Amino acid sequence: MGRFDKYNIDLKGLKAEPLNLEFILDDAFFSDIEGEEFRRGKVKAVVTAKKNRDVFDIAFSLSGIVIVPCNRCLDDLELEIETTNSLRVRLGDDFADDGDIVVVPEHDGDINIAWYLYEFIALAMPMRRVHAPGKCNKAMTGKLRKHLLGEYDDEQPEMDPRWE
């Protein structure tokens, strides 16, 4: 995990004032993280960590673009990402992530936020990822239309009477 060392936050070393960090997440980051959703992009991440008694609050502000395949034509599609997220962390005996709070082993005393950065970007992406009307690859949409229409050329499917 050496390539993600710069994404470690030393929780034990946090002082009273907030810790501010900035990262540029580029193609190298996305390729190294080996996520399923996307592998390219350029996203600026501003991270603020502060200590509140026995809990650490980490705020994330992410903005930039990621490149994903279009769901319709499979060509590259640039998606703008702009999101803010937060993470609550406390020190404990063993690592645990129950959704509300992340527990980090006290003997480690630090948390690596690389995967959280990736997940927050993935959660900010829309479910349907398609080009604007008329921007899809014309050859691919033509083939899709041909196959979809070809399915019903010989006989029209029966309509369920409930929907008529």
Side-chain angles (χ1 to χ4, degrees):
M1 187 113 175
R3 58 187 169 216
F4 297 115
D5 284 348
K6 71 178 182 179
Y7 304 102
N8 283 340
I9 296 177
D10 179 17
L11 299 174
K12 285 184 172 179
L14 279 180
K15 305 292 183 217
E17 67 275 352
L19 171 68
N20 296 308
L21 303 167
E22 262 189 45
F23 304 104
I24 298 296
L25 311 176
D26 57 8
D27 293 351
F29 171 82
F30 295 121
S31 178
D32 286 346
I33 202 105
E34 297 178 2
E36 300 284 324
E37 294 288 319
F38 51 92
R39 297 261 168 113
R40 298 185 313 155
K42 186 171 185 177
V43 177
K44 179 181 178 182
V46 177
V47 180
T48 303
K50 57 184 166 180
K51 184 177 182 177
N52 294 326
R53 296 184 195 191
D54 61 342
V55 176
F56 302 90
D57 291 317
I58 305 174
F60 300 84
S61 179
L62 305 159
S63 61
I65 61 158
V66 291
I67 300 168
V68 297
C70 173
N71 293 143
R72 187 179 297 136
C73 71
L74 302 178
D75 279 0
D76 283 347
L77 170 67
E78 284 188 3
L79 286 178
E80 268 193 50
I81 299 296
E82 186 141 347
T83 186
T84 57
N85 302 87
S86 62
L87 190 64
R88 300 197 73 181
V89 182
R90 72 176 174 81
L91 299 175
D93 295 330
D94 295 318
F95 180 84
D97 186 353
D98 68 5
D100 292 334
I101 194 159
V102 176
V103 179
V104 174
E106 192 159 359
H107 60 84
D108 288 345
D110 63 351
I111 184 170
N112 187 293
I113 59 168
W115 185 252
Y116 293 103
L117 291 166
Y118 179 85
E119 279 193 344
F120 291 146
I121 294 168
L123 289 170
M125 295 189 329
M127 291 296 291
R128 187 167 184 250
R129 303 167 194 156
V130 295
H131 288 102
K135 300 291 183 188
C136 274
N137 180 319
K138 303 274 189 249
M140 180 62 88
T141 54
K143 288 180 182 181
L144 285 171
R145 193 173 299 112
K146 177 183 152 198
H147 287 288
L148 287 173
L149 293 175
E151 238 178 78
Y152 304 114
D153 281 347
D154 297 337
E155 29 179 280
Q156 213 42 308
E158 284 188 36
M159 176 68 86
D160 186 332
R162 296 175 294 177
W163 308 120
E164 287 184 9

